[in-house]
Amino acid sequence: MKDLIDFTKMDPKEIIARRVAMEIKPKTLVNLGIGIPTLVSDHLDESMGVFFQAENGAVGMGHRPPEGMTDRHLTDAGGSFVSAVPGASTIDSAFSFGLIRGGHLDLTVLGGLQVDAQGHLANWMIPGKFVPGMGGAMDLVTGAKKVIVAMIHTAKGQSKIVQTCDLPVTSQRRVSLIVTELAVLEPRDDGLHLLETGPGVSVEEVVAATEAKLVISGDIPEMDLSQTV
């Protein structure tokens, strides 16, 4: 039952995935990046008619299949097994990136290494470490109609929400929304606005865990994750 779930004890990644799922509208084309974003589809009913797309050419990905029901030909961009919904298709990379670069994606959900106060995302490399390539990150941030970053708020005690990125940014376009286990943040012209706090998290705790200066107006509500259960 909804009222018996203690969201304050929920795994941080699931909190993020559940909250991001609330941003997805029926009958839309949505790209899910590698990592936490791949969990988002588990919190949406397939009857909503959402088609999930991956850069590798899968369109119409469904929930992760149960053990023993995997198909090596059905994977997301990170190589994890997925299922296919009715009407799903596979396309080549040129067509897949044509969807992205042509502005046909309603939404992309991406992981992040840093996001700064201006809403710039850094998620494709750490200087000095091997990187096989940017993948679709630059195209997705630039081409999708809406960009949501889904990531853990801190790493090794350091905030990932920074005043200015010191890692190479993915795009000069700012993202639409940032969802962490501690907060929902929206970059606007006048700064980074705190919209919601995580389950059991105070505004003061969000501020303490965030390097970037936040714009806080009025009473800040807590995420209502019960509607996704």
Side-chain angles (χ1 to χ4, degrees), residues 54-109:
E55 301 97 294
N56 62 344
V59 181
M61 297 183 295
H63 297 157
R64 286 173 292 178
E67 191 69 29
M69 297 298 290
T70 57
D71 183 332
R72 66 186 180 88
H73 298 293
L74 285 174
T75 65
D76 59 24
S80 298
F81 291 113
V82 295
S83 59
V85 301
S89 63
T90 56
I91 55 180
D92 63 23
S93 292
F95 197 160
S96 181
F97 276 84
L99 290 175
I100 297 169
R101 295 169 180 168
H104 302 290
L105 281 179
D106 295 295
L107 168 67
T108 183
V109 184

Side-chain angles (χ1 to χ4, degrees), residues 99-184:
L99 290 175
I100 297 169
R101 295 169 180 168
H104 302 290
L105 281 179
D106 295 295
L107 168 67
T108 183
V109 184
L110 300 171
L113 298 171
Q114 291 179 335
V115 183
D116 68 20
Q118 292 73 46
H120 297 136
L121 168 67
N123 79 335
W124 74 281
M125 74 168 295
I126 297 175
K129 292 193 176 183
F130 173 76
V131 180
M134 181 173 277
M138 177 177 64
D139 302 277
L140 288 162
V141 177
T142 304
K145 295 174 184 175
K146 184 176 181 179
V147 180
I148 296 179
V149 178
M151 67 180 190
I152 299 296
H153 204 95
T154 61
K156 298 180 179 179
Q158 299 296 314
S159 176
K160 295 170 68 175
I161 313 294
V162 297
Q163 191 61 32
T164 303
C165 288
D166 57 21
L167 296 175
V169 297
T170 306
S171 172
Q172 288 301 312
R173 179 192 177 193
R174 71 185 180 201
V175 302
S176 310
L177 203 68
I178 306 156
V179 180
T180 77
E181 78 281 17
L182 301 184
V184 178

